[in-house]
C-alpha cells in the first residue's frame, strides 16, 4: 500500500512539471533598403552619429570602416595585419573596440582617426561585441555571453542563452536594443532577442524574407545588427550581402 501511495504522489508531481515555453517567432517588415559592399565579410555593425561603422573579417581582408548609410560608400578605412581575422566591433565613448577570432586579441582605435591606441587580450575566441552603457557584452560562438568591464575588459559576469531550456549556440554579432541583447546565430536566418538577466530567448526575429532564395545561395550568413537610438531604427545585413536593410517588427495587437 505504501509503495502504491508513493508512486501515485510521484506521478502527480511529474504531471505538475511544466516544460519551458519556447520563444515565439515573428517576421520583420522591410522599411528601407540601402546599398552594401558585397565584398565586405561583415562581422560587426554599429550606427553612430548618423553613420555606419563596420568591422569585416577574413585574414588579409579584415578592416574597420566608416560607411555612408544611403550610398554604402566607404568613407574611412583601416586594414588589419593579415594575421588577424577581424570580428565584432562596438563604439565606447571616443573609441572603436574590435575583437579578433582566434588570436585572443582585441584592438582599441581612435574613433575619429582610426589610429590604433592599444590592444588587450581575452581567453576565448572573439565573435560579437556590444555594450549596455555600463559594460561590454561579448559572444564567443558558444551559448555563453560574457559581461566585461568597460575599462579593463575583465570578465565580471556571464549568462547561458537558452530557448525553452535548450542551449542556443553559435551566438554571433550582437546589439543592445531596448534593454535586450539581439544576437545573430551563425548560419541561421533568425535573430535572438535575449534577456540580459536570465539568458532566456524572449523572441525570434525571422529575417528569411530579406533576400530571395536565389540570392541567399550566393552570399554568406546574416551577420550585422545596428541600432539608431535617436531615430529608433534597426539595420541588418550579412557577410558579402549587396544590401543593408532597415527593418521594423510587427506592433503588438
Amino acid at each position: 500500500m505504501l509503495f502504491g501511495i508513493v508512486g501515485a504522489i510521484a506521478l502527480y508531481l511529474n504531471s505538475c512539471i511544466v516544460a519551458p515555453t519556447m520563444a515565439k517567432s515573428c517576421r520583420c517588415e522591410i522599411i528601407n533598403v540601402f546599398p552594401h559592399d558585397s565584398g565586405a565579410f561583415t562581422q560587426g555593425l554599429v550606427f553612430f552619429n548618423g553613420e555606419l561603422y563596420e568591422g569585416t573579417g577574413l585574414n588579409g581582408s579584415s578592416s574597420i570602416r566608416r560607411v555612408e548609410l544611403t550610398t554604402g560608400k566607404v568613407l574611412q578605412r583601416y586594414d588589419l595585419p593579415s594575421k588577424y581575422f577581424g570580428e565584432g566591433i562596438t563604439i565606447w565613448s571616443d573609441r572603436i573596440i574590435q575583437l579578433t577570432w582566434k588570436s585572443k586579441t582585441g584592438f582599441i582605435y581612435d574613433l575619429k582617426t582610426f589610429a590604433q591606441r592599444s590592444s588587450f587580450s581575452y581567453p576565448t575566441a572573439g565573435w560579437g561585441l556590444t555594450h549596455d552603457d555600463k559594460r561590454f557584452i561579448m559572444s564567443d560562438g558558444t551559448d555563453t555571453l560574457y559581461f566585461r568591464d568597460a575599462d579593463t575588459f575583465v570578465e565580471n559576469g556571464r549568462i547561458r542563452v537558452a530557448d525553452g531550456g535548450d542551449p542556443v549556440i553559435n551566438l554571433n554579432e550582437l546589439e543592445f536594443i531596448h534593454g535586450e541583447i539581439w544576437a545573430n546565430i551563425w548560419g541561421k536566418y533568425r535573430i535572438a532577442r535575449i534577456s540580459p538577466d536570465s539568458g532566456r530567448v524572449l523572441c525570434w526575429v525571422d529575417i528569411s524574407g530579406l533576400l530571395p532564395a536565389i540570392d541567399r545561395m550566393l552570399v554568406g550568413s546574416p551577420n550585422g545588427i545596428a541600432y539608431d537610438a535617436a531615430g529608433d531604427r534597426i539595420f541588418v545585413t550579412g557577410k558579402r550581402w549587396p544590401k543593408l536593410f532597415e527593418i521594423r517588427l510587427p506592433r503588438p495587437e
Side-chain angles (χ1 to χ4, degrees), residues 210-243:
L210 297 185
L211 290 176
I214 190 169
D215 289 348
R216 288 167 55 180
M217 297 174 62
L218 305 175
V219 298
S221 174
N223 209 36
I225 310 167
Y227 180 57
D228 170 17
D232 195 22
R233 297 185 296 172
I234 299 170
F235 305 99
V236 296
T237 189
K239 304 171 189 287
R240 291 175 170 159
W241 282 24
K243 299 175 183 178

Side-chain angles (χ1 to χ4, degrees), residues 1 34 44 48 57 62 69 85 122 131 143 169 179 183 200 207 223 245 253:
M1 174 65 77
F34 303 100
F48 184 77
S62 295
L69 172 64
F85 190 119
Y122 42 88
H131 66 79
D143 63 342
I169 62 172
R200 180 171 65 92
I207 56 173
N223 209 36
F245 299 87
E253 297 181 357

Side-chain angles (χ1 to χ4, degrees), residues 121-164:
S121 62
Y122 42 88
T124 66
W127 284 44
L129 188 65
T130 188
H131 66 79
D132 61 2
D133 291 330
K134 297 176 292 186
R135 56 192 175 171
F136 291 122
I137 307 169
M138 171 185 170
S139 67
D140 66 352
T142 66
D143 63 342
T144 300
L145 292 177
Y146 303 87
F147 299 104
R148 296 186 174 278
D149 184 89
D151 294 319
T152 65
F153 213 70
V154 171
E155 181 184 337
N156 54 22
R158 65 173 68 181
I159 54 175
R160 303 286 292 276
V161 177
D163 181 17

Side-chain angles (χ1 to χ4, degrees), residues 171-233:
L171 298 170
N172 206 348
E173 216 272 313
L174 306 174
E175 186 64 270
F176 196 77
I177 303 174
H178 296 314
E180 302 171 352
I181 303 168
W182 288 40
N184 283 119
I185 310 299
W186 182 76
K188 303 293 185 181
Y189 275 76
R190 61 179 187 168
I191 294 170
R193 294 169 55 186
I194 302 164
S195 164
D197 298 317
S198 67
R200 180 171 65 92
V201 175
L202 304 171
C203 178
W204 292 99
V205 181
D206 181 353
I207 56 173
S208 60
L210 297 185
L211 290 176
I214 190 169
D215 289 348
R216 288 167 55 180
M217 297 174 62
L218 305 175
V219 298
S221 174
N223 209 36
I225 310 167
Y227 180 57
D228 170 17
D232 195 22
R233 297 185 296 172

Side-chain angles (χ1 to χ4, degrees), residues 43-46 53-56 63-65 87-91 96-99 109 127-130 173-174:
Q43 301 290 74
L45 198 66
V46 179
Y53 290 79
E54 186 170 13
T56 67
S63 65
I64 56 170
R65 306 171 174 199
E87 284 282 350
I89 66 168
T90 194
I91 292 176
I96 300 174
I97 317 297
Q98 181 184 38
L99 302 179
Y109 306 93
W127 284 44
L129 188 65
T130 188
E173 216 272 313
L174 306 174

